[in-house]
Amino acid sequence: SRKLALQASHSLIQWFSENGDIGWFRSLFVRKVDARKDAHSNLLSKRETSNLYNIQFHNVKPECLEAYNSLEAEVQNKLHHDEDYPCEVVGSWNTWYGEQDQVVHLWRYRGGYPALTECLQKLNKNKEYLEFRKERAKMLISRRNQLLLEFSFWNEPLPRQGPNIYELRTYHLKPGTMIEWGNHWARAIKYRQENNEAVGGFFSQIGDLYVVHHLWAYENLLSREETRNSAWQKEGWDATVHYTVPLIRTMESRIMIPTSSSPLQ
């Protein structure tokens, strides 16, 4: 009976292969990711660099957006270039398509949690910064943030020349699926690097959990469409989409324009 079962299995594989559905058939027998005894952060992140990121979402009163951008740029530049503070601005953007009148900031702390703690302690004693926060609060409707680590298989986000538009794709994953997501994207990222569009990939540590952010750069919306369409012409990209979509609870796309002070232009 075992021999007959093997023969039937081989026949099915041959039939699905001839009819173009072998990918679907194999998905029935994909081995599940083994349970790990180490933390996801240790398995997926760049432990050798110990970079910690803070992504901030600020919803600004529409009439205050211009004043907010000006004030934020001034303070960011001071902190970014002050060697006394172990933090640096990776990028700042105004949302173009997505939630309107929203500003997104991405900060990097080289040295991880100790660097973050040191920075916060110094800022809480900085009278100029405390005054800035009071003034900024008058312009805000709401704000939220997350602490992130970067995936080991993504490039570190570095300053780049513009003009570019940026897309922040945010995925809320099902709890327990982060390792599986990382395994698939470690192979899939090679399909999305030919046009230098891959900026950074991150996963949340504090704040909303099981959240992934992918940051991409394009010359314009047409370039974005062409680049994304070209990925479908590469063998293997369809499998990535096939296996990762079931891991997602919700997803969101923001198209963003860099502020004048953003290192990512």
Side-chain angles (χ1 to χ4, degrees):
S1 60
R2 186 170 181 270
K3 184 177 180 181
L4 288 174
L6 286 172
Q7 289 176 343
S9 176
H10 290 154
S11 298
L12 276 172
I13 291 173
Q14 183 178 0
W15 186 90
F16 279 113
S17 179
E18 291 172 353
N19 288 273
D21 288 328
I22 188 65
W24 175 86
F25 181 75
R26 280 180 180 160
S27 71
L28 297 177
F29 298 94
V30 170
R31 194 167 120 195
K32 298 297 182 183
V33 175
D34 290 337
R36 303 298 185 105
K37 295 183 179 180
D38 203 354
H40 291 178
S41 57
N42 292 334
L43 294 168
L44 295 172
S45 65
K46 299 177 181 178
R47 297 178 67 183
E48 68 278 8
T49 61
S50 299
N51 286 336
L52 181 68
Y53 292 82
N54 181 12
I55 190 167
Q56 301 171 322
F57 301 93
H58 290 179
N59 293 314
V60 184
K61 296 175 182 177
E63 68 274 15
C64 297
L65 187 58
E66 185 176 345
Y68 170 93
N69 284 334
S70 178
L71 180 64
E72 189 76 38
E74 179 183 349
V75 175
Q76 278 188 355
N77 282 330
K78 289 181 180 179
L79 289 177
H80 184 77
H81 294 102
D82 192 335
E83 295 182 0
D84 228 15
Y85 290 85
C87 63
E88 56 190 354
V89 184
V90 177
S92 288
W93 303 267
N94 289 158
T95 301
W96 185 19
Y97 288 101
E99 194 162 352
Q100 298 294 280
D101 304 308
Q102 185 181 75
V103 185
V104 180
H105 305 292
L106 184 63
W107 291 82
R108 180 192 291 120
Y109 300 87
R110 295 194 184 275
Y113 290 105
L116 171 66
T117 301
E118 178 187 348
C119 191
L120 292 178
Q121 288 174 344
K122 289 180 176 179
L123 288 175
N124 285 332
K125 297 176 182 178
N126 185 325
K127 292 182 179 179
E128 184 180 1
Y129 182 78
L130 294 176
E131 286 301 316
F132 152 73
R133 290 194 62 176
K134 289 180 182 178
E135 189 63 28
R136 186 185 65 181
K138 301 174 185 177
M139 306 178 184
L140 296 177
I141 298 172
S142 64
R143 60 193 179 99
R144 63 184 176 89
N145 62 4
Q146 294 172 337
L147 291 180
L148 314 171
L149 294 176
E150 56 188 333
F151 284 111
S152 59
F153 46 85
W154 279 75
N155 295 328
E156 181 178 336
L158 299 173
R160 65 171 65 197
Q161 297 297 313
N164 295 294
I165 63 170
Y166 289 79
E167 181 174 16
L168 182 66
R169 295 182 72 87
T170 300
Y171 303 89
H172 294 257
L173 305 184
K174 297 175 182 177
T177 62
M178 187 65 72
I179 292 291
E180 193 172 354
W181 178 275
N183 285 343
H184 287 300
W185 267 96
R187 295 187 293 270
I189 191 64
K190 65 182 180 181
Y191 303 118
R192 297 295 310 277
Q193 291 180 318
E194 289 183 2
N195 297 319
N196 197 32
E197 70 267 26
V199 178
F202 314 90
F203 60 99
S204 62
Q205 281 291 283
I206 296 179
D208 290 339
L209 298 179
Y210 286 98
V211 177
V212 170
H213 299 287
H214 290 175
L215 184 62
W216 310 92
Y218 306 100
E219 290 183 9
N220 49 50
L221 287 175
L222 179 59
S223 170
R224 170 186 177 273
E225 182 181 20
E226 292 172 346
T227 300
R228 287 175 56 81
N229 286 342
S230 68
W232 288 97
Q233 308 306 314
K234 300 169 186 174
E235 185 177 357
W237 175 250
D238 57 338
T240 297
V241 175
H242 177 82
Y243 291 130
T244 55
V245 165
L247 310 180
I248 301 169
R249 289 190 296 139
T250 62
M251 58 189 294
E252 181 180 4
S253 170
R254 291 176 175 85
I255 301 297
M256 310 184 301
I257 305 296
T259 63
S260 59
S261 61
S262 175
L264 285 169
Q265 286 294 314

